[in-house]
Amino acid sequence: MAQAASTSLPTEQLINELQSFGARLVDPKAGVESRRGGAGPSDHKALTIDGMTVMVPVHTAPAFESPYLIERPDADGRSRVLRDDVVLGAVSFPQRPRFYDLTTADGIPYSKIAVLHSRDVLATTVLQSCIRYQSRTKTCQFCAIGQSLAAGRTIERKTPAQLAEVARAAVDLDGVRHMVMTTGTPPGNDRGAAILAESAAAVKAAVDLPIQGQCEPPDDDAWFTRMREAGIDALGMHLEAVTPEVRARIMPGKAQVPVSRYFSAFAAAVAVFGRGQVSSYILAGLGDSAAAILQTCERLVAIGVYPFVVPFVPISGTPLESHPGPPPDFMHAILQPLAAMLRAGGLRAVDIKAGCGKCGACSALSTYERRLDA
Ligand code: SF4
């Protein structure tokens, strides 16, 4: 290994930097293969830093130019992180899960049914198509739900039986601890709640695994009870952006469901799932100011919803592929006060039963929380 000067950054700062700029990998094959396309965040690699596994962009346009370089793992599996020849820290790569080697009874590779996120989260997109994805005028500009399907890396509809089979194997073989079930929005008023409920029921019948469901607010709040009774432990309804102008620009279809409906749905869902078990993904860096994001977070925390604020990552092939991610100091300006706000409101990532807020790999938020706890 070449000699290099060394310094160390606080963990949360290193995570912010890596998530904002991405990283160049000397050995792109190290660790679990990265996910390309798909719903939600993508084009990342899972890395473990200081005991915390985080997702770092490696296949995005900014990542190819990133000042951060991650070296090939040494004999102990540790890789140095360098910037301008200065060593800033070390990371390791979670290993490829064993369930990826299996195939369902009907011949589908398990990795096309669900994938490993971070190091112990099983994630699936139950329905890999979306009414919002049909035309460029309606599509959420950041989303790549159709890309992995077009590339043959997944199948459109995962059946409850397939999900149950894969979930059981992921628990038995790889010690997966919770599951994220998201879905593209199907036609119809339930917005995906019905397929989430039937999928969760099948998984729960096969294995004791906490599940987070993620969907748009259904038209009828009765779906929250139905999802809960089916075995969904925590619920995500994702605002993505918080101000009406940014929502209309970035997600013209989804923005037709107004923020006011999200808030009435949050209140109804918290009554069913409990305080801190309902969350909302908010993408920082799409145009909302830090003040606007924090204001919305304050409203969310007040009603018991965990705001999971993550840095926007531009995914190749989407209309926003050239949109820059937020600078690290912008993330710091949000996540530091947000961690204090969460603490004052009695909400903690570790108390969430399942899902993105609990996993925390797409943001440094839970690292800020840990820092406050310490
Ligand atoms: S935070 Fe959510 S999207 Fe990100 S790695 Fe964890 S489970 Fe996946």
Side-chain angles (χ1 to χ4, degrees), residues 43-54:
D43 295 13
H44 293 61
K45 189 87 152 175
L47 302 174
T48 302
I49 305 174
D50 194 16
M52 179 79 201
T53 302
V54 296

Side-chain angles (χ1 to χ4, degrees), residues 35 39-42 44 46 53-55 116-119 121-123 178-180 212 214 238 281 308 310 355-363:
R35 202 166 75 95
S42 183
H44 293 61
T53 302
V54 296
M55 303 302 281
L116 185 76
H117 278 201
S118 185
R119 67 183 152 188
V121 186
L122 185 66
H178 56 117
M179 182 168 188
V180 174
Q212 183 201 37
Q214 301 183 345
H238 299 160
Y281 218 101
F308 186 48
V310 307
C356 289
K358 182 178 191 66
C359 164
C362 286
S363 168

